[in-house]
Amino acid sequence: MSAKSSSALLLQPGDLEIIRGSNLFKDMDEPVLQSLLSGASVMTAGRGEVLFLQGEPADAFFVVLEGWIKVYRVTPGGDEAVVGIFTDGQNFAEAAAFIDGAYPASGEAVTESRIARIPARHLKKRMAENPEIGLAMLASTSRHLHLLIRQIEQLKAHTGAQRVAEFLSSLTRVESGACMLALPYDKTLIAARLGMKPESLSRAFHRLKGQGVEIKNNVALIDDIERLRNFVDQERAEVIRSGKRG
């Protein structure tokens, strides 16, 4: 079932605050932002619902208001290659909408989600009126490119345990001490996001037990988040010294 069949809803005041915090919109003047959002609507999507498919005309871009969305490509062998996972306040598919092309990947809700949808036609109209929007789109595309480069670097130069430790660390703003983290999506998707097989993820979780990490169902119990981050740094130094790739 496609989320495109869901009824379009109006943005709520809380939605506007989430959108204002996104990388794409945070530096935009308020009148410019309001003019762009005047064409936005809100979609709701259940777990597994499709927002768009690879190869379809890019008729809109999106900002996550609530939930998790995965963007992925299907390989010639029929496997999924996860390109990115997006959550509250993060935008995606703006590059395809910006160039009026096709979606280079598919988008699917990982959890129950609410998403702001901004039509490409409306975007182009507002860009013609205000070049600031075009500059913001280019900046956002550049940030996504740098993120992909960093992800490739992690896949090439980081051990499996290091990737998982970094992933867990990214889920909290706690600087030190114990913390409890709810894993945002299932372990199969976490493995795909980190460029690992599920069994490799299980081995990485087992290794992290020595760093005070215990996984219970969809919750990670961490004795000391600072210790976990120090482990990432130690692993990086070891990889550099040994030339090992994990």
Side-chain angles (χ1 to χ4, degrees):
M1 177 181 177
S2 170
K4 289 182 178 179
S5 63
S6 300
S7 299
L9 306 172
L10 296 177
L11 289 169
Q12 302 299 314
D15 298 336
L16 295 175
E17 291 305 312
I18 293 172
I19 292 172
R20 286 190 185 99
S22 73
N23 283 329
L24 177 58
F25 299 116
K26 65 182 181 181
D27 295 325
M28 227 176 249
D29 290 339
E30 189 65 22
V32 177
L33 175 60
Q34 290 294 339
S35 70
L36 183 57
L37 295 182
S38 65
S41 59
V42 175
M43 306 166 59
T44 59
R47 180 176 179 177
E49 286 195 68
V50 174
L51 303 181
F52 52 85
L53 290 172
Q54 181 177 325
E56 287 184 343
D59 58 356
F61 73 98
F62 308 86
V63 182
V64 184
L65 302 174
E66 183 181 355
W68 291 85
I69 304 295
K70 72 173 178 178
V71 174
Y72 64 96
R73 288 179 60 86
V74 178
T75 68
D79 297 324
E80 282 188 11
V82 178
V83 177
I85 304 288
F86 301 91
T87 191
D88 303 13
Q90 295 181 324
N91 52 279
F92 59 96
E94 71 279 2
F98 181 62
I99 63 173
D100 206 19
Y103 291 118
S106 300
E108 180 182 308
V110 175
T111 64
E112 296 285 332
S113 302
R114 296 174 61 253
I115 313 103
R117 180 182 185 275
I118 303 174
R121 182 177 299 179
H122 179 76
L123 168 66
K124 294 295 183 62
K125 181 179 179 181
R126 295 310 182 198
M127 280 174 53
E129 298 169 354
N130 197 312
E132 180 183 339
I133 296 175
L135 293 174
M137 298 294 291
L138 289 172
S140 180
T141 300
S142 176
R143 281 190 288 267
H144 280 169
L145 176 60
H146 281 84
L147 178 61
L148 287 174
I149 291 172
R150 183 183 175 193
Q151 289 173 357
I152 293 171
E153 178 187 28
Q154 289 174 338
L155 292 177
K156 295 291 184 180
H158 295 182
T159 67
Q162 183 182 9
R163 292 179 220 167
V164 175
E166 284 189 316
F167 171 74
L168 293 175
S169 297
S170 72
L171 297 178
T172 180
R173 295 181 181 178
V174 175
E175 295 295 330
S176 62
C179 63
M180 181 174 66
L181 307 174
L183 300 181
Y185 34 85
D186 65 53
K187 294 173 186 175
T188 301
L189 184 54
I190 291 174
R193 172 65 182 80
L194 298 177
M196 306 167 67
K197 293 185 179 299
E199 55 268 29
S200 299
L201 179 67
S202 296
R203 288 195 295 269
F205 279 142
H206 181 73
R207 185 179 177 194
L208 290 177
K209 284 185 178 180
Q211 303 300 320
V213 177
E214 184 176 1
I215 305 297
K216 291 186 176 181
N217 296 322
N218 66 334
V219 174
L221 304 173
I222 300 173
D223 289 345
D224 189 338
I225 191 68
E226 186 177 14
R227 177 186 175 188
L228 187 63
R229 291 185 174 126
N230 288 338
F231 167 77
V232 172
D233 293 336
Q234 291 164 5
E235 283 280 291
R236 183 181 293 111
E238 177 61 26
V239 167
I240 292 172
R241 283 195 300 267
S242 66
K244 179 175 65 178
R245 294 295 181 264

